[in-house]
Amino acid sequence: MAMYTGKPTAADRGPGQEEPPDTGAGTAEGTAGETADGTADHTGERHKLTALQGLAALSLDAMASVAYGPESIVLVLAGAGAYGLGFTLPVTLAIAALLAVLVASYRQVIAAFPDGGGSYAVAGRHLGRRTSLVAAASLILDYVLNVAVSVTAGVAALTSAFPSLHGERVWICLGVLGLVTAVNLRGVADSAKAFLVPTAVFVGSILAMITVGLFRDGPVSTETAAGHASALGDGATTVGALLLLKAFAAGCSALTGVEAVANAVPSFRAPAVRRAQRTEIALGALLGVMLIGLSVLIGRFHLQPVEGVTVLAQLADASFGHNAAFYVVQFATVVLLALAANTSFGGLPVLMSLLARDNHLPHVFALKADRQVHRHGVVWLALVSAALLAFSGGDANTLVPLFAIGVFVGFTICQVGMVRHWSLERPAGWRAKAVLNGFGALLTGVSAVVVTATKFTEGAWLIVVALPLIVLGFEKVHRAYDRIGERLELGRVPQPPERSRSLVVVPVSGLSLLTCRALTAARSLGDEVLAVTVTHPAPEDRRAAEALRRDWELWNPGVELVELPSPTRSLGRPVSGYVRGLTEQRPDTQVTVLIPETEPERLWQRMLQNQRGSVVAHAVRRDTDAVICRLRFRITTDPR
């Protein structure tokens, strides 16, 4: 008999799946990878991340953002002409300062919340359940959109190099998504190993480009931009605060992914907190160096944005020349953008498992497979992302206006929650930490408002609508689990179990070895056994029923055969109606319906079955409270 509980039980888990996390909050010493006696679980640890692997698995989103973050700044400032481009470095430095604040903040989040969850965990403890759900919803939106944007941007770079593939971009996007999903289903550590080389090549090529460019007096080549229309606006002598604010908000898209490490702390090997903190610092340092370095090169080469050519491509052309090194940068950018979706696959399933643990998502998302994979979260993310890719037609410009809004909401909530954390805990130097987080909350809050306002008509309104709908969905799931828990009296000591008389009903349609096995099992289960068969008024059906009655009396199994007349060809309703009548007549008797079924050896042979057992089981489950048992008779080539 299927029963719902307030948390996943052993019956809810499939083969090869581990116990889902308990509802109690864990500690740094009790993180995954240790057994109940505190010893290391080396089997589980083998599938978890080192600091270097974490940098590859969880930082792809942030690393890849250097391909479009600086370009977003330049495109906004270009509206003020060449004079406006002169503010590229100051705006980038402001973003780098915000990056430093975020890295410092999330380093503290990792230590304070070793079970992961980032802004969701912080808000849940310090800002209330509803605020934590807003943070979780914003992170879910950001993670899903990151997959779609990263894949479409990578494929767009590929089709720019090979225009003949442009018509097949949707299928290419789905193929890349399928590849990333397959790698992640093998485990987060395996995905980190697969993406370590592309990440290293991309970071190395960008750092090499910055280093070489700093020693150039001018661009080596401008062949990439030749013949393309300039996107520079009319000349201006002043740049307003609003334009600078829009440039800052646009450039903040480079900060997406900074929170991923804090969301996925349980994915690291022990000591998980220390490894995650190292990963967060390394991510911030590399990202900051690349953003500032690229901004310096933009000013050094007096780069102007042009239509159809990325800023990063122009910088590679100017630093290396139009040679093999240029194509290495482009190829590495294509690969990393396409694979940046891996950040979402590393962070979102862990976040969804925490939501499931807290009864805000179905408990199935808390289950882990045998390679430390939240498989259901990975599959759900892949399906939703595939729908977005199909909806957008593989066009990144359709999705970019929706991107980064959710992560700024999460940033702001997390920073405000950490301010409250310091004010309550009051460790040494807590005032300075609170000021730092408060300043970060102000910056990210302003950025969230500016990005939403400037992109509202371009699709950001969808996020404004989707965010509360997701929160309402969380609440609905939570209320459902609360009702189930109250009905099952979870948390209370139940009354001692009592033995009641048992009646087993066995539906039959003829005599066979299956019938004999079913009655044998029924007699071992119940105090009383009844066999039932549904009869129809048609002449041929009456003859079959009379033949069954004669054979039954000759066989004489010691079990009464009850005929259930049905004026129609219905099978399930007569059985469920009879069972319902028995439960009403015998309220103190436990009624069980045992349904005998054959199970062929070959999968394709199951299509030959008439599915009578499934029809009866569905009707009994729908109309009665009887226990349902399905007896499988395996048909194999071995007669034994």
Side-chain angles (χ1 to χ4, degrees):
M1 177 173 59
M3 296 181 68
Y4 293 96
T5 62
K7 58 181 282 187
T9 64
D12 294 322
R13 298 189 300 275
Q17 292 179 321
E18 297 185 352
E19 177 74 21
D22 194 28
T23 53
T27 62
E29 291 78 20
T31 54
E34 294 183 354
T35 58
D37 60 0
T39 59
D41 178 7
H42 297 291
T43 302
E45 290 292 288
R46 183 167 57 88
H47 297 295
K48 293 192 174 184
L49 299 169
T50 64
L52 184 60
Q53 290 173 344
L55 192 63
L58 301 173
S59 69
L60 290 173
D61 176 19
M63 293 296 182
S65 66
V66 303
Y68 50 79
E71 182 163 5
S72 299
I73 299 172
V74 169
L75 287 174
V76 173
L77 294 177
Y83 183 76
L85 291 177
F87 289 86
T88 301
L89 182 57
V91 171
T92 304
L93 290 174
I95 293 173
L98 176 57
L99 172 64
V101 171
L102 289 173
V103 169
S105 174
Y106 276 104
R107 187 176 181 275
Q108 299 302 323
V109 172
I110 290 168
F113 298 88
D115 287 334
S119 58
Y120 169 67
V122 175
R125 181 180 297 181
H126 297 301
L127 300 178
R129 186 173 63 88
R130 184 63 61 85
T131 305
S132 71
L133 295 182
V134 174
S138 67
L139 285 172
I140 287 177
L141 288 172
D142 177 64
Y143 276 138
V144 172
L145 286 167
N146 171 59
V147 174
V149 169
S150 298
V151 171
T152 53
V155 172
L158 177 66
T159 56
S160 296
F162 303 97
S164 60
L165 298 177
H166 187 267
E168 307 297 329
R169 63 187 183 277
V170 174
W171 292 109
I172 298 175
C173 285
L174 294 176
V176 171
L177 176 61
L179 175 63
V180 176
T181 303
V183 171
N184 277 275
L185 286 175
R186 288 189 53 81
V188 66
D190 285 343
S191 69
K193 294 173 184 176
F195 301 147
L196 190 58
V197 173
T199 304
V201 171
F202 177 80
V203 173
S205 63
I206 296 297
L207 294 179
M209 182 180 72
I210 292 171
T211 303
V212 172
L214 291 176
F215 288 94
R216 302 288 191 190
D217 294 328
V220 177
S221 170
T222 58
E223 181 179 341
T224 302
H228 292 267
S230 174
L232 203 64
D234 296 333
T237 56
T238 59
V239 174
L242 181 59
L243 185 66
L244 291 176
L245 202 58
K246 289 178 63 176
F248 174 81
C252 280
S253 60
L255 303 181
T256 58
V258 172
E259 79 291 347
V261 177
N263 290 336
V265 179
S267 297
F268 285 86
R269 293 181 187 175
V273 169
R274 192 178 307 165
R275 291 183 188 274
Q277 286 179 326
R278 290 174 182 171
T279 302
E280 187 73 49
I281 293 173
L283 168 61
L286 284 173
L287 184 58
V289 167
M290 288 191 291
L291 289 174
I292 295 173
L294 293 175
S295 180
V296 170
L297 291 188
I298 290 171
R300 189 178 187 86
F301 296 142
H302 304 289
L303 184 144
Q304 298 180 5
V306 297
E307 297 178 3
V309 178
T310 66
V311 169
L312 194 62
Q314 291 187 65
L315 289 177
D317 198 24
S319 295
F320 292 131
H322 208 75
N323 50 29
F326 166 82
Y327 286 104
V328 168
V329 174
Q330 293 305 103
F331 179 74
T333 303
V334 170
V335 173
L336 204 72
L337 277 169
L339 300 181
N342 195 68
T343 298
S344 296
F345 282 97
L348 182 57
V350 175
L351 174 62
M352 295 179 74
S353 73
L354 295 177
L355 287 164
R357 182 197 67 183
D358 296 337
N359 291 341
H360 295 302
L361 280 180
H363 289 157
V364 69
F365 290 110
L367 302 181
K368 273 188 178 181
D370 53 1
R371 300 179 70 88
Q372 299 295 310
V373 180
H374 294 285
R375 185 168 295 165
H376 296 280
V378 170
V379 172
W380 181 89
L381 175 58
L383 292 176
V384 176
S385 301
L388 278 176
L389 290 173
F391 169 76
S392 67
D395 182 14
N397 293 327
T398 304
L399 300 171
V400 167
L402 312 179
F403 195 41
I405 296 174
V407 76
F408 283 124
V409 173
F411 281 161
T412 305
I413 291 175
C414 185
Q415 303 268 351
V416 172
M418 289 306 293
V419 170
R420 181 166 175 77
H421 175 78
W422 299 131
S423 65
L424 293 175
E425 300 292 332
R426 301 200 172 192
W430 70 272
R431 287 187 176 86
K433 295 177 180 179
V435 169
L436 184 66
N437 289 132
F439 180 62
L442 176 64
L443 292 179
T444 54
V446 169
S447 298
V449 172
V450 171
V451 172
T452 303
T454 56
K455 301 293 184 181
F456 189 82
T457 58
E458 299 177 35
W461 64 271
L462 287 172
I463 303 300
V464 176
V465 172
L467 197 61
L469 289 179
I470 294 176
V471 173
L472 289 176
F474 291 155
E475 294 281 19
K476 187 174 181 63
V477 171
H478 193 271
R479 286 195 298 270
Y481 277 125
D482 281 346
R483 287 193 298 270
I484 294 170
E486 291 175 4
R487 184 69 179 85
L488 296 177
E489 298 184 355
L490 294 179
R492 306 177 193 173
V493 178
Q495 297 178 352
E498 299 177 356
R499 188 186 187 282
S500 59
R501 183 172 178 78
S502 177
L503 168 63
V504 182
V505 176
V506 183
V508 299
S509 58
L511 296 187
S512 66
L513 180 58
L514 178 62
T515 309
C516 180
R517 292 278 183 91
L519 294 182
T520 300
R523 296 184 73 168
S524 66
L525 291 174
D527 300 313
E528 181 182 357
V529 178
L530 291 174
V532 298
T533 183
V534 179
T535 61
H536 304 292
E540 63 273 14
D541 293 320
R542 285 305 314 165
R543 286 193 294 271
E546 291 168 1
L548 175 60
R549 170 64 67 181
R550 288 194 303 269
D551 293 342
W552 193 272
E553 292 174 352
L554 289 173
W555 182 35
N556 191 22
V559 175
E560 180 185 356
L561 177 65
V562 179
E563 295 186 12
L564 306 178
S566 174
T568 64
R569 289 290 178 177
S570 175
L571 179 65
R573 289 189 182 277
V575 176
S576 65
Y578 179 73
V579 171
R580 187 170 59 249
L582 287 175
T583 57
E584 292 173 354
Q585 295 169 12
R586 308 184 189 186
D588 297 329
T589 300
Q590 176 63 63
V591 179
T592 300
V593 179
L594 189 147
I595 303 172
E597 297 175 296
T598 59
E599 185 170 311
E601 183 178 18
R602 304 293 182 184
L603 182 62
W604 68 269
Q605 292 174 339
R606 297 180 186 179
M607 295 185 296
L608 306 178
Q609 295 176 285
N610 56 24
Q611 306 301 323
R612 292 168 61 94
S614 298
V615 172
V616 172
H618 175 73
V620 173
R621 182 180 294 110
R622 180 192 60 208
D623 299 334
T624 75
D625 293 327
V627 177
I628 299 174
C629 292
R630 303 182 75 167
L631 177 68
R632 303 286 186 176
F633 182 79
R634 299 183 184 276
I635 299 177
T636 63
T637 53
D638 186 353
R640 293 176 297 177

